[in-house]
Amino acid sequence: MLIKIINPNTTVTMTEAMAECARRVAAANTRILAASPESGPVSIESHYDEMLSTPGLLDEIRLGEEDGCDGYVVACFGDPGLQAARELARGPVIGIAEAAMHAASMLGTGFSVVTTLARTRGMAWHLAERYGMRRFCRNVRAVEIPVLALEEERSKVFDAILGECAKALAEDDADVLVLGCAGMAGLAHDIGEALGVPVIDGVTVAVKLVEALVSNGLRTSKRGEYAQPLPKRYSGMLASYGAAESSDPA
Amino acid sequence: MLIKIINPNTTVTMTEAMAECARRVAAANTRILAASPESGPVSIESHYDEMLSTPGLLDEIRLGEEDGCDGYVVACFGDPGLQAARELARGPVIGIAEAAMHAASMLGTGFSVVTTLARTRGMAWHLAERYGMRRFCRNVRAVEIPVLALEEERSKVFDAILGECAKALAEDDADVLVLGCAGMAGLAHDIGEALGVPVIDGVTVAVKLVEALVSNGLRTSKRGEYAQPLPKRYSGMLASYGAAESSDPA
Amino acid sequence: MLIKIINPNTTVTMTEAMAECARRVAAANTRILAASPESGPVSIESHYDEMLSTPGLLDEIRLGEEDGCDGYVVACFGDPGLQAARELARGPVIGIAEAAMHAASMLGTGFSVVTTLARTRGMAWHLAERYGMRRFCRNVRAVEIPVLALEEERSKVFDAILGECAKALAEDDADVLVLGCAGMAGLAHDIGEALGVPVIDGVTVAVKLVEALVSNGLRTSKRGEYAQPLPKRYSGMLASYGAAESSDPA
Amino acid sequence: MLIKIINPNTTVTMTEAMAECARRVAAANTRILAASPESGPVSIESHYDEMLSTPGLLDEIRLGEEDGCDGYVVACFGDPGLQAARELARGPVIGIAEAAMHAASMLGTGFSVVTTLARTRGMAWHLAERYGMRRFCRNVRAVEIPVLALEEERSKVFDAILGECAKALAEDDADVLVLGCAGMAGLAHDIGEALGVPVIDGVTVAVKLVEALVSNGLRTSKRGEYAQPLPKRYSGMLASYGAAESSDPA
Amino acid sequence: MLIKIINPNTTVTMTEAMAECARRVAAANTRILAASPESGPVSIESHYDEMLSTPGLLDEIRLGEEDGCDGYVVACFGDPGLQAARELARGPVIGIAEAAMHAASMLGTGFSVVTTLARTRGMAWHLAERYGMRRFCRNVRAVEIPVLALEEERSKVFDAILGECAKALAEDDADVLVLGCAGMAGLAHDIGEALGVPVIDGVTVAVKLVEALVSNGLRTSKRGEYAQPLPKRYSGMLASYGAAESSDPA
Amino acid sequence: MLIKIINPNTTVTMTEAMAECARRVAAANTRILAASPESGPVSIESHYDEMLSTPGLLDEIRLGEEDGCDGYVVACFGDPGLQAARELARGPVIGIAEAAMHAASMLGTGFSVVTTLARTRGMAWHLAERYGMRRFCRNVRAVEIPVLALEEERSKVFDAILGECAKALAEDDADVLVLGCAGMAGLAHDIGEALGVPVIDGVTVAVKLVEALVSNGLRTSKRGEYAQPLPKRYSGMLASYGAAESSDPA
């Protein structure tokens, strides 16, 4: 099975870190590809960044289809372009917020998300609603550390996130925690050990969910909203995206 | 007052038709600008098209800010990139689905949307939810006419839309109708006359809502989620979008 | 265009203050009428007051219809009798809570209402639900100043409302503020300046929304729930309301 | 125990019919008063009628308080003025839609309402939401018989209502039926026999719910929204309602 | 009328206390039976206990049917097995959480529940949702006193519950209180006196609600989900439950 | 990894069929145990059957804990006793309705369930709500074939289910299908091939979801509602369940 993890920002060190985490949990017969787009933002911390990460994301999905990928993980906690990606892909496409929230709902009665910047909290709430997970989402908290700063001063970052997680348990009536940024992937285990509750990193869970669906022969439904985009003319800088018509050999 | 209507697809004849409709309802002291992006899809009929219309839309917002626009209308019924646009703009930004749905909720007890392709119906439902209008939305119906075909054989198109509108009244328990595509703007009046109920075109209503907000001195809140995007590095084809930092002089 | 603002309480100084605010934002070709009923409560601060303000309100709508009004504003934050008014009126009828909440939802991600007495907070929540705005309503706060006291000691009142608005920003995760009483209309601008966020007075926004709808040729739907009331016999003190039948010439 | 049934319309024959039904189910030590207001509409079939029935209703509550009533039933399926009545009353006040819907939710998994005119269906839906009963309400159906016509040609009326009830069972996935008008009170038993499911008349159930609350020593909470209305000046035809201050001896 | 109160735990002193409370409010012609199952947990404080209380509860319903009971009260605040009980019973079956929450919604605008152990709070929230009462439920609070300890040191227990009730009024914006355990039945009156708001014990209210339904000739709907269970083979320890077939003589 | 599938009914042929399906998708290092309880109903088709299946289910969980199972699947579409099972288990416990609905929400925009008897449809709707999946659930349909009859006349059964699935696609606006009974597990692939959309059997998906969680080191949260049941005395036939105290060595 070939699963492609797409980090929609252009920071390759994050992409590599995710791939490493993913490979640790993948099944023996699963091969992990990981990629960042060539164009787009170095990190995603606003609706603006999200929108502008999607051309690169969609490029990577198209390349993945050519490479015969069986499924995809969109590895940014805003799950940008998830639905457009599903239109292009034959196999399943899962966002890491989606994966983490669903998993959280099966392990406890309510989760809190701990994310990077407060300005992105509304996006997490919106995704919780979109996925039906609002009833499980107790709170979305921010440590006010920018995405790229997660990689600096790891122990300070760890302490800040651990502290916010502890507050979530004490104040939010949560019994599960969700880390709200792909850049926090490596921290889940240690925070879980420290606090004695499940702490979920979406990247690794998403990889296993893709495996779960693919091994059951399940693919994205092509009936209706997630059908291949209609072929049409694109202009200017985006002219090449008009080739959509050729990507649907079925 | 300077209001910019942005048609997020590249079909200039649609843009011009909208501008004409808008100028008919605008206040004496309102000036209407209308623009289509240079790059992007010729019509928007999928999540894929929506995502890929946003770089062009955001370009036009940035240009509008330089031109001193007081407010904006995003003139595609999927309201693509609306929230990213709000991050860039100082004045109000209103989507035509947003405008039409809100207006409908003030004129009756429930509305049906009549849109182009069935595959976009889920997007309209999603917007209804996002705007709090789901409780008023009785149905979303499609005539299965592609966006660009709306401009051909106008009388056949008119009949198809009129017929679907009549079915909405008969079957959906709706007392207001919403036309679900900017390309239908010119038809609202005649359908309303024929059926004896309010029929709403989002473009002209959105222009008046922008006027309403601007004349009250109201602008997009810059506290929190709609604050200017953080300045950061963008790569590749999208490198120029990294200039975001210079657009926030505050 | 002729727009009638109906203050459903009998305090004429409030009515005049509203009219003045409204005229400042109205379009050049809009004429503003403002009226208070002859009978009813001097202020509206309970369900009891609301119910008993409606006979006077409906009188004023009927008079407005005779005067050829194009639309109406119900200028009390409880929006009393709004739906009954829609049955009588041909043009649009908009409540100031309705107008303010809808506008707030287009300018930010969440609003708090600051109103007069705590006992009316439930009514504001109920309206938020009715209009689909509950998802945007972060909180409803009260300064515990009765409606009529708003006109006394203006600087003390201003400070109390400003203080509560500041608390809303600090504690409610709101990025827009709504003033929850027609008597606060004059304060929106100054509070907005002080706090740097949009502060909405429903009266002036409602006037512009009526303009927006009327200039688009949109009227209240007479299909279904908002059809003219059936003519019937009324008794006693209210016998004259049985003349409803004569107000529906259609 | 003294329970007052208030029929908010002025049709005394309906009031008497309700009283008779109520006395049949009341406990041995319960005394039933029944009254119609002196002023107001002869039947209630619109928001306009509802609003204008409330001054008379509130008069009757005030009189009931003077008479030492222990609780009240508001006996019109729109439950007009229910919350204002709760402000005036010390004991419980229950609407017949409220009573019927709550009872229905305890006897099956979903109910349909069969009411008089289609234009009032939205009001029933709104009440279902207000009481939390929307999740049990499968449909609201209308037989298009005006309220006063219910008393004419009883067998034709019975057949029409029975037919609509049968359709509700066949088409709505309902297992309980609610009769949506106080004027249908006498029909519940026979329809229930004919169809083999619980058929609920709100009047008699409401009387028993008031008994249930009063016998447990429970009264309307006077903390917060249902506190006595603040005393204040009323003008014109409604001047006497300003005496509210004297009705709160506490 | 014969009403059976089933305490689903095996603590007979609780059963007797409930019966005594119930007899105090029951109508003159109502006879109260009260029973505890022979097998099951001594108290119910987890999902585990709830599930394992249901075989005993269902036994008691079956015995009640043989005894000609007209209706039932399930007297544990988790309302365990309520829907299964409705399948077996001909008359109404009401849970005490159900009764208390419905009553609370008619006496004020929002209630808080005060229960025993914090780990059961989620169950109360779930019931509030199931019954449509979530919109009225302001909070569920726990005093962290196990069910059986309620009977020891009554004055300490009373003080703890009273204190939590007072906090609910001060912090939760509640105007009605619900006691969240059948074992608290005797305390409602005194707490209500102390705090000046309605305080509801579900046991006595449930008895009166059963009376209300039965006296109106209303029984559990046997159309659909609450039809008699299909007769079938049961094995092992539970083999006798397979006799379900014989209890449906219809 | 050791995963135990518990079929809560006593029909061993169904248990064996599930185990076979599960082993086909399980990872190389996963070992599948499958068990039916000794006592309980031969099939589960009512609330009564559900409740009475839980003692047997909980026995199997306890045995599984002694055997060192890493996770569990509750293999009946009503997911009976799921939350009680989570209290007993250290590892994850997943219901097959839960698994199927979550998976469906990731593969399309809306699913319909096709189940056995119509009387169980309400249970599926209730689970959809409980899991947050109501927004994705378009319909729950029944073929009116009892659970045990699924094993007879396989081609007739297949045709009936296929026909109902086809109707779901045509009438429900669904793009994914969920088979609503563990006994339908073997049919998913062929129906999917016939209809060209994803068709989900919960058993195999649940097994993979347990793998996904366990391989990420995630277990049921023991903070709060899913903590081990408190040890206490159980009586009669269920006395042995009181040994709960000894199963929590932590």
Side-chain angles (χ1 to χ4, degrees):
Chain A
M1 191 185 310
L2 183 58
I3 298 178
K4 183 171 187 175
I5 300 175
I6 306 174
N7 170 13
N9 74 34
T10 59
T11 302
V12 177
T13 50
M14 281 181 65
T15 318
E16 284 164 0
M18 289 177 207
E20 203 181 304
C21 291
R23 283 180 190 120
R24 240 175 274 144
V25 299
N29 60 343
T30 296
R31 196 153 54 89
I32 301 288
L33 280 184
S36 281
E38 267 178 47
S39 61
V42 74
S43 65
I44 299 178
E45 296 167 320
S46 62
H47 293 285
Y48 179 85
D49 294 340
E50 279 208 357
M51 288 299 106
L52 293 167
S53 75
T54 59
L57 171 81
L58 296 172
D59 273 343
E60 293 299 329
I61 297 279
R62 193 184 319 277
L63 290 171
E65 290 298 284
E66 292 170 17
D67 293 347
C69 290
D70 293 293
Y72 301 87
V73 171
V74 177
C76 165
F77 202 79
D79 293 356
L82 181 63
Q83 292 166 310
R86 282 182 178 150
E87 292 175 336
L88 282 188
R90 282 162 300 199
V93 187
I94 296 191
I96 64 168
E98 186 182 36
M101 290 180 184
H102 281 275
S105 79
M106 300 173 189
L107 294 166
T109 59
F111 62 83
S112 286
V113 177
V114 174
T115 189
T116 53
L117 299 187
R119 68 177 294 159
T120 67
R121 287 167 46 231
M123 302 173 203
W125 278 113
H126 178 246
L127 292 179
E129 177 175 62
R130 183 146 219 169
Y131 302 140
M133 296 294 108
R134 192 148 208 164
R135 57 192 291 119
F136 297 101
C137 187
R138 296 279 191 268
N139 204 357
V140 180
R141 292 167 166 272
V143 289
E144 290 294 6
I145 299 172
V147 171
L148 296 184
L150 290 176
E151 313 228 333
E152 305 155 12
E153 303 191 81
R154 296 292 282 188
S155 83
K156 247 184 164 171
V157 163
F158 180 83
D159 289 350
I161 296 172
L162 178 65
E164 200 67 32
C165 285
K167 280 172 70 177
L169 293 181
E171 298 172 7
D172 299 349
D173 205 15
D175 53 9
V176 177
L177 298 167
V178 167
L179 299 184
C181 177
M184 297 177 181
L187 312 174
H189 179 267
D190 288 355
I191 295 176
E193 288 292 300
L195 297 176
V197 296
V199 177
I200 301 177
D201 154 48
V203 178
T204 51
V205 172
V207 167
K208 297 303 288 184
L209 291 188
V210 172
E211 278 185 359
L213 298 172
V214 171
S215 66
N216 273 287
L218 295 167
R219 294 158 58 151
T220 296
S221 180
K222 288 298 159 179
R223 182 188 173 88
E225 195 168 327
Y226 294 149
Q228 276 289 328
L230 298 174
K232 66 182 55 166
R233 191 160 50 78
Y234 271 70
S235 309
M237 174 179 77
L238 300 168
S240 67
Y241 288 88
E245 57 199 296
S246 66
S247 78
D248 188 7
Chain B
M1 191 186 310
L2 183 58
I3 298 177
K4 183 170 186 175
I5 300 174
I6 306 173
N7 170 13
N9 75 34
T10 58
T11 302
V12 176
T13 51
M14 280 181 65
T15 318
E16 284 164 359
M18 289 178 207
E20 202 182 304
C21 291
R23 284 179 189 121
R24 239 175 275 144
V25 300
N29 60 344
T30 296
R31 196 151 56 89
I32 301 289
L33 281 184
S36 280
E38 266 177 49
S39 61
V42 74
S43 65
I44 299 177
E45 296 167 321
S46 62
H47 293 285
Y48 179 86
D49 294 340
E50 279 208 357
M51 288 299 106
L52 293 167
S53 73
T54 59
L57 171 81
L58 294 172
D59 273 342
E60 292 299 329
I61 298 279
R62 195 185 316 279
L63 289 170
E65 290 296 286
E66 292 170 16
D67 292 346
C69 290
D70 293 294
Y72 302 86
V73 171
V74 176
C76 166
F77 202 80
D79 296 355
L82 181 63
Q83 291 167 308
R86 282 182 177 151
E87 291 175 336
L88 281 188
R90 282 162 300 198
V93 187
I94 296 190
I96 65 170
E98 185 183 36
M101 290 180 184
H102 281 276
S105 78
M106 300 174 189
L107 294 166
T109 58
F111 62 83
S112 285
V113 176
V114 174
T115 188
T116 54
L117 299 186
R119 66 179 294 160
T120 67
R121 287 167 45 229
M123 302 175 203
W125 278 112
H126 177 246
L127 292 179
E129 178 177 60
R130 183 146 219 170
Y131 303 141
M133 296 295 108
R134 193 147 207 166
R135 58 192 291 121
F136 298 101
C137 187
R138 294 282 191 267
N139 204 356
V140 180
R141 292 167 166 273
V143 288
E144 290 295 6
I145 299 173
V147 172
L148 296 183
L150 290 176
E151 312 229 334
E152 305 153 13
E153 302 193 81
R154 296 290 283 189
S155 83
K156 247 183 165 171
V157 164
F158 180 84
D159 289 350
I161 296 173
L162 179 64
E164 200 68 32
C165 284
K167 280 172 69 176
L169 293 181
E171 299 171 8
D172 299 349
D173 206 14
D175 52 10
V176 177
L177 298 167
V178 166
L179 299 184
C181 177
M184 298 178 181
L187 312 175
H189 179 266
D190 288 355
I191 295 175
E193 288 293 300
L195 297 177
V197 295
V199 178
I200 301 178
D201 154 48
V203 178
T204 51
V205 171
V207 166
K208 298 302 288 185
L209 291 188
V210 172
E211 277 186 358
L213 297 173
V214 171
S215 66
N216 273 286
L218 295 167
R219 295 157 59 150
T220 296
S221 180
K222 289 297 159 180
R223 181 187 174 88
E225 195 168 327
Y226 294 149
Q228 278 289 328
L230 298 174
K232 67 182 54 166
R233 191 159 49 78
Y234 272 69
S235 309
M237 173 180 78
L238 299 169
S240 67
Y241 289 87
E245 55 199 297
S246 66
S247 77
D248 188 6
Chain C
M1 191 186 309
L2 183 58
I3 298 177
K4 182 171 187 175
I5 300 175
I6 307 173
N7 171 13
N9 74 35
T10 58
T11 302
V12 177
T13 50
M14 279 181 65
T15 318
E16 284 164 1
M18 290 177 206
E20 202 181 305
C21 290
R23 283 177 191 123
R24 239 175 275 144
V25 300
N29 60 344
T30 296
R31 195 152 55 90
I32 301 290
L33 281 184
S36 280
E38 266 176 49
S39 61
V42 73
S43 65
I44 299 177
E45 295 166 322
S46 62
H47 293 286
Y48 180 85
D49 295 339
E50 280 208 358
M51 288 300 105
L52 293 167
S53 73
T54 60
L57 171 81
L58 295 172
D59 274 342
E60 293 299 329
I61 298 278
R62 194 185 316 279
L63 289 170
E65 290 297 285
E66 291 171 16
D67 293 345
C69 290
D70 293 294
Y72 302 86
V73 171
V74 177
C76 166
F77 202 80
D79 295 356
L82 182 63
Q83 292 167 310
R86 282 183 176 148
E87 291 174 337
L88 282 189
R90 282 163 299 199
V93 186
I94 296 190
I96 65 169
E98 185 183 36
M101 290 180 183
H102 280 275
S105 79
M106 300 174 189
L107 294 166
T109 58
F111 62 83
S112 285
V113 176
V114 174
T115 188
T116 53
L117 299 186
R119 67 178 294 158
T120 67
R121 287 166 46 228
M123 302 174 203
W125 278 112
H126 178 246
L127 292 179
E129 178 176 61
R130 184 146 218 170
Y131 303 141
M133 295 295 108
R134 193 147 206 165
R135 57 193 289 118
F136 297 102
C137 187
R138 295 280 191 267
N139 203 356
V140 180
R141 292 166 166 273
V143 289
E144 290 294 6
I145 298 173
V147 172
L148 296 183
L150 290 175
E151 312 229 334
E152 305 154 12
E153 302 193 81
R154 295 292 282 191
S155 82
K156 247 185 165 172
V157 164
F158 180 84
D159 288 351
I161 297 173
L162 179 65
E164 200 68 32
C165 285
K167 280 172 69 178
L169 293 181
E171 298 172 7
D172 300 348
D173 206 14
D175 53 9
V176 177
L177 298 167
V178 167
L179 298 185
C181 177
M184 298 178 182
L187 312 175
H189 179 267
D190 288 355
I191 296 175
E193 288 294 299
L195 298 177
V197 296
V199 178
I200 301 178
D201 153 49
V203 179
T204 51
V205 171
V207 166
K208 298 301 290 183
L209 291 188
V210 173
E211 278 186 357
L213 297 172
V214 171
S215 65
N216 272 287
L218 294 166
R219 294 158 58 150
T220 296
S221 180
K222 289 297 158 180
R223 181 187 174 89
E225 195 168 328
Y226 294 148
Q228 277 289 329
L230 297 174
K232 67 181 53 164
R233 190 159 50 78
Y234 272 70
S235 310
M237 172 180 77
L238 299 169
S240 68
Y241 288 88
E245 55 200 296
S246 66
S247 78
D248 189 6
Chain D
M1 191 185 311
L2 182 58
I3 298 178
K4 182 171 187 175
I5 300 175
I6 307 173
N7 170 13
N9 75 34
T10 58
T11 302
V12 176
T13 49
M14 281 179 66
T15 318
E16 284 163 0
M18 289 177 208
E20 202 181 305
C21 290
R23 283 178 191 121
R24 238 175 276 144
V25 300
N29 60 344
T30 296
R31 195 152 54 90
I32 300 288
L33 281 185
S36 280
E38 268 177 49
S39 62
V42 73
S43 65
I44 299 177
E45 296 166 321
S46 62
H47 293 286
Y48 180 86
D49 294 341
E50 279 208 356
M51 289 298 106
L52 292 166
S53 73
T54 59
L57 171 81
L58 295 173
D59 274 342
E60 294 299 330
I61 298 278
R62 193 183 319 276
L63 290 170
E65 291 296 287
E66 292 170 15
D67 293 345
C69 290
D70 293 294
Y72 301 87
V73 171
V74 177
C76 166
F77 202 79
D79 295 355
L82 182 62
Q83 293 166 308
R86 283 181 177 151
E87 291 175 336
L88 281 188
R90 282 161 300 198
V93 187
I94 296 191
I96 64 169
E98 186 182 36
M101 290 180 184
H102 280 275
S105 79
M106 300 174 189
L107 294 166
T109 58
F111 62 84
S112 285
V113 177
V114 174
T115 188
T116 53
L117 299 187
R119 67 177 295 159
T120 67
R121 287 166 46 231
M123 301 173 204
W125 278 113
H126 177 246
L127 292 179
E129 178 176 60
R130 183 147 219 169
Y131 303 141
M133 295 295 108
R134 192 147 207 166
R135 58 192 289 121
F136 298 101
C137 186
R138 294 280 191 267
N139 203 357
V140 180
R141 291 167 166 273
V143 288
E144 290 295 6
I145 298 173
V147 171
L148 297 183
L150 290 176
E151 312 229 333
E152 305 154 11
E153 303 191 82
R154 295 291 282 188
S155 84
K156 246 184 167 172
V157 163
F158 180 84
D159 288 350
I161 296 172
L162 179 64
E164 200 68 31
C165 284
K167 281 172 70 177
L169 293 181
E171 299 172 8
D172 299 349
D173 206 14
D175 53 10
V176 177
L177 298 167
V178 167
L179 299 185
C181 178
M184 297 178 181
L187 312 174
H189 179 266
D190 288 355
I191 295 175
E193 288 294 300
L195 298 176
V197 295
V199 178
I200 301 177
D201 154 47
V203 179
T204 50
V205 172
V207 167
K208 298 301 287 184
L209 291 188
V210 172
E211 278 185 358
L213 298 173
V214 171
S215 65
N216 273 287
L218 295 167
R219 294 158 57 149
T220 296
S221 180
K222 289 296 159 181
R223 181 188 174 88
E225 196 167 325
Y226 294 149
Q228 277 289 329
L230 298 174
K232 66 182 54 167
R233 191 159 49 78
Y234 271 69
S235 309
M237 172 180 79
L238 299 169
S240 67
Y241 288 88
E245 56 200 295
S246 65
S247 77
D248 188 6
Chain E
M1 190 184 312
L2 183 57
I3 298 178
K4 182 172 188 175
I5 301 176
I6 307 173
N7 170 13
N9 74 35
T10 59
T11 302
V12 177
T13 51
M14 280 180 67
T15 318
E16 284 164 1
M18 288 178 207
E20 201 183 305
C21 291
R23 283 179 190 121
R24 239 175 274 144
V25 300
N29 60 343
T30 296
R31 196 151 55 89
I32 301 289
L33 281 184
S36 280
E38 266 176 49
S39 62
V42 73
S43 65
I44 300 177
E45 296 167 319
S46 62
H47 294 284
Y48 180 85
D49 294 340
E50 280 208 356
M51 288 300 105
L52 292 167
S53 73
T54 59
L57 172 80
L58 296 172
D59 273 342
E60 293 299 330
I61 297 279
R62 192 183 319 276
L63 289 170
E65 289 297 285
E66 292 170 16
D67 293 345
C69 290
D70 293 294
Y72 302 87
V73 171
V74 177
C76 165
F77 202 80
D79 295 357
L82 182 62
Q83 292 166 310
R86 283 183 177 149
E87 291 175 336
L88 282 189
R90 282 162 300 201
V93 187
I94 295 191
I96 64 169
E98 186 183 35
M101 290 180 184
H102 281 276
S105 79
M106 300 174 189
L107 295 166
T109 58
F111 62 83
S112 285
V113 176
V114 174
T115 188
T116 53
L117 299 187
R119 67 178 293 159
T120 67
R121 287 166 47 229
M123 301 174 204
W125 278 113
H126 178 245
L127 292 179
E129 178 175 61
R130 184 144 219 171
Y131 303 140
M133 295 294 109
R134 193 147 207 167
R135 56 191 293 120
F136 298 102
C137 187
R138 295 278 192 268
N139 204 357
V140 180
R141 291 167 166 273
V143 289
E144 290 294 8
I145 299 172
V147 171
L148 296 184
L150 290 176
E151 313 228 332
E152 306 154 11
E153 301 193 81
R154 293 292 283 188
S155 83
K156 246 184 167 171
V157 163
F158 180 83
D159 288 350
I161 296 173
L162 178 65
E164 200 67 31
C165 285
K167 280 172 70 177
L169 294 182
E171 298 172 7
D172 299 348
D173 206 15
D175 53 10
V176 178
L177 298 168
V178 167
L179 299 184
C181 177
M184 298 178 181
L187 312 174
H189 179 265
D190 287 355
I191 295 176
E193 287 295 298
L195 297 177
V197 297
V199 178
I200 301 177
D201 153 48
V203 179
T204 51
V205 172
V207 167
K208 298 302 288 184
L209 291 188
V210 172
E211 278 186 358
L213 298 172
V214 171
S215 66
N216 273 286
L218 295 167
R219 293 158 59 150
T220 296
S221 180
K222 289 296 160 182
R223 181 187 174 87
E225 196 167 327
Y226 294 148
Q228 277 289 329
L230 297 174
K232 66 182 55 166
R233 191 160 48 79
Y234 272 69
S235 309
M237 172 179 78
L238 300 169
S240 67
Y241 289 87
E245 57 200 294
S246 65
S247 77
D248 189 6
Chain F
M1 190 184 311
L2 182 59
I3 298 178
K4 182 171 187 175
I5 301 176
I6 307 172
N7 170 14
N9 75 34
T10 58
T11 303
V12 176
T13 51
M14 280 180 65
T15 318
E16 283 164 1
M18 289 177 207
E20 201 182 306
C21 290
R23 284 179 189 121
R24 241 175 273 142
V25 300
N29 59 343
T30 297
R31 195 152 55 90
I32 301 289
L33 283 183
S36 280
E38 266 177 51
S39 61
V42 74
S43 64
I44 299 178
E45 296 167 321
S46 62
H47 293 286
Y48 180 86
D49 294 341
E50 281 209 357
M51 288 300 105
L52 292 167
S53 73
T54 59
L57 171 81
L58 296 172
D59 274 342
E60 293 299 329
I61 298 278
R62 193 185 319 276
L63 290 170
E65 291 296 286
E66 291 169 17
D67 294 345
C69 290
D70 294 294
Y72 302 87
V73 171
V74 176
C76 166
F77 202 79
D79 294 356
L82 182 62
Q83 293 167 309
R86 283 182 177 149
E87 292 175 336
L88 281 189
R90 282 162 301 199
V93 186
I94 295 191
I96 66 170
E98 184 183 38
M101 291 180 183
H102 281 275
S105 79
M106 300 174 189
L107 294 166
T109 59
F111 62 83
S112 286
V113 176
V114 174
T115 188
T116 53
L117 299 187
R119 67 177 294 159
T120 67
R121 287 166 46 230
M123 301 174 203
W125 277 112
H126 178 245
L127 292 179
E129 178 176 60
R130 184 146 219 171
Y131 303 141
M133 296 294 108
R134 193 147 205 165
R135 57 193 290 119
F136 298 101
C137 187
R138 295 281 191 268
N139 204 356
V140 180
R141 292 166 166 273
V143 289
E144 290 294 6
I145 299 172
V147 171
L148 296 183
L150 290 176
E151 312 228 335
E152 305 154 10
E153 302 192 82
R154 295 291 283 189
S155 83
K156 248 186 166 171
V157 164
F158 180 84
D159 288 349
I161 297 173
L162 179 65
E164 200 67 32
C165 285
K167 280 173 69 176
L169 294 181
E171 299 171 8
D172 299 349
D173 206 15
D175 52 10
V176 177
L177 298 167
V178 167
L179 299 184
C181 177
M184 298 177 181
L187 312 174
H189 179 266
D190 288 355
I191 295 175
E193 288 294 300
L195 298 176
V197 296
V199 178
I200 300 178
D201 153 49
V203 178
T204 51
V205 172
V207 166
K208 298 302 288 184
L209 291 189
V210 172
E211 278 186 357
L213 297 172
V214 171
S215 66
N216 274 286
L218 295 166
R219 294 158 58 152
T220 296
S221 180
K222 289 295 160 182
R223 181 188 175 89
E225 195 167 328
Y226 293 148
Q228 277 289 330
L230 297 174
K232 66 182 53 165
R233 190 160 50 79
Y234 271 70
S235 310
M237 171 180 79
L238 299 168
S240 67
Y241 289 87
E245 56 199 295
S246 66
S247 77
D248 189 6

